[in-house]
Structure formats: structure tokens, C-alpha cells
Amino acid sequence: MSAPGLLTGVTLAFDLDGTLVDTAPDLIGVLNQMLEEHGLPPVPLASARHLVGGGARRMLQHGFEEAGATVHPDEMPALDDRFVELYRARIARESRPFDGLEPALDALKAEGARFVVCTNKKTDLSLDLLAAVGLIDRFDAVAGPDVVSRRKPDPAHLIEAIRLGGGDPTRALMVGDSATDLLSARGARIPVVLVSFGYTETPVEALGADALIHRFHDLPAAARRLLR
């Protein structure tokens, strides 16, 4: 076991959907509820899971297109609003933290690390989700796109999230699951760890992260190596 304090002053910034929490069942559940409201067939979880990282609009477009329906751009704001309404009502019905997350956070915290969330999910929904799955007290800041000047993949989102948590961007690590997270970290000149179990349209192995992990058990060692 590493000596306590090895990661003192280090901030780990985590993406939310597909990194901290497996939210696909609830998000795709909402998509299918909306498709049903429009008399359209549902999409299977397996075929839409990779779209979750692209946000509600991407999922809506995919779902309607797969059902043979066309969404006019003028209709999208109302569909977005309906999606958020339904999602808020079932935000953690089936969503759960990924296996091994909490022991990894415990190990990192014991070495002095602090944690923030850097997500393109709205901050209020992010807070509701984290509270519902019992993670809210783990983080010094939760920064959705509505509380920063730019959204991921712009590096400003990541830098501002770290600072909101009282951290220093020169002593930080990004943990995510997609090209969006990698590009934000690269722009901020912050090392990045990607998880292999999240949501990405590009195979995660092809993205070129500084480290790729297949389970959270391996995150503390990756953090020590990259921040040595």
C-alpha cells in the first residue's frame, strides 16, 4: 500500500454518465417512453447505449430515425424539455455507480486526493443523480455546462471545474469515457484516464488516452503513475 499523502493536492475530475454512474438504462428508458408517446417502437438498450455520451438530442435523433420518423429542428426544443421532465422523474430508477468505484475513491482520498465532477449533464440533474445514488458527498464541486464558461470538449470546462473544487489544474487528472473527455484534458494539458466500460461511439482503445482502465480497482495505480 502506498504511503498516505502521495496524492495530496491532486484533483481528479470525473465525467459522470458512463464514468461514475451507469445511467444508460434510465436515459434509454426515457427515450423509449417518448417514442411510445409518439406511437413509435422502442430501441434496444444494447443498440443505443453508445449514444448516451452524445446527450439527449443525439439519442432522440437516433431513436426517431431508427423508427422511420423525421424530427424537424423546430420540434427539438420541445422534445428536449419533455426528455428532461421525464428523466427527472426517474433519474436513478435503474442507474447505479460502476463496480469498484467507491473503494477506489476511498483509496485515492486516503492518499490526499480530492474529487470534482466535470459533466455536460445539467448541474441540477447531476446533483439529483449523485444524491440518489449516494455519491454526492464524495465531490468538492459538480460542474455542468451551465456553471462554466464553455462546455466539454472545451478545456475551459475542465479547468473551471477543478478550480470550483479548490484544486490546481497543474495538479489534476481527468477520468472519462469518451473523446469529449480526452479532448478537454488534452486542451487543458491535463493527463487523462479513460474507462473501457462507458459510452463512446469511437472505440475507446483508439482514442489514445494516457491510461486505459477496465475496472476502477486500477485507477489509484494509474493516478500515481501519471502524477508522479
Side-chain angles (χ1 to χ4, degrees):
M1 181 178 293
S2 297
L6 187 64
L7 297 177
T8 297
V10 168
T11 299
L12 276 75
F14 290 87
D15 174 54
L16 180 48
D17 297 81
T19 300
L20 290 171
V21 183
D22 185 5
T23 52
D26 284 313
L27 288 164
I28 296 171
V30 171
L31 169 63
N32 284 333
Q33 188 174 344
M34 291 185 65
L35 291 172
E36 182 181 2
E37 290 177 352
H38 287 78
L40 298 170
V43 297
L45 174 63
S47 71
R49 184 180 176 88
H50 68 285
L51 298 169
V52 170
R57 182 163 296 196
R58 180 78 179 93
M59 286 192 294
L60 287 165
Q61 289 172 335
H62 170 85
F64 278 83
E65 287 171 3
E66 189 170 286
T70 301
V71 179
H72 192 276
D74 291 345
E75 299 176 280
M76 195 55 73
L79 290 173
D80 280 343
D81 290 344
R82 179 61 173 157
F83 190 97
V84 170
E85 177 188 5
L86 293 173
Y87 181 56
R88 197 183 300 276
R90 62 168 292 171
I91 199 161
R93 187 182 299 174
E94 298 176 75
S95 298
R96 299 290 182 271
F98 283 104
D99 289 345
L101 170 65
E102 295 194 74
L105 294 180
D106 288 340
L108 290 160
K109 185 175 181 180
E111 295 184 33
R114 68 173 67 203
F115 314 120
V116 301
V117 174
C118 178
T119 175
N120 278 336
K121 186 192 288 289
K122 289 178 60 181
T123 304
D124 62 338
L125 291 174
S126 299
L127 291 168
D128 288 348
L129 172 63
L130 290 166
V133 298
L135 293 175
I136 191 67
D137 293 334
R138 297 278 193 172
F139 298 95
D140 293 306
V142 177
D146 49 304
V147 300
V148 293
S149 63
R150 299 284 189 276
R151 66 185 291 151
K152 294 186 300 183
D154 194 296
H157 190 163
L158 175 55
I159 291 168
E160 291 170 31
I162 293 164
R163 288 177 173 156
L164 283 170
D168 178 355
T170 67
R171 288 283 288 159
L173 178 70
M174 178 73 203
V175 184
D177 69 328
S178 69
T180 298
D181 301 312
L182 183 136
L183 290 170
S184 185
R186 288 284 183 257
R189 300 190 178 189
I190 290 171
V192 57
V193 173
L194 293 183
V195 302
S196 64
F197 43 77
Y199 316 138
T200 174
E201 295 189 57
T202 303
V204 70
E205 295 83 1
L207 292 177
D210 297 304
L212 175 65
I213 61 171
H214 305 289
R215 54 181 187 160
F216 269 115
H217 175 80
D218 297 324
L219 180 58
R224 293 182 206 112
R225 176 173 61 82
L226 293 174
L227 293 164
R228 187 176 303 144

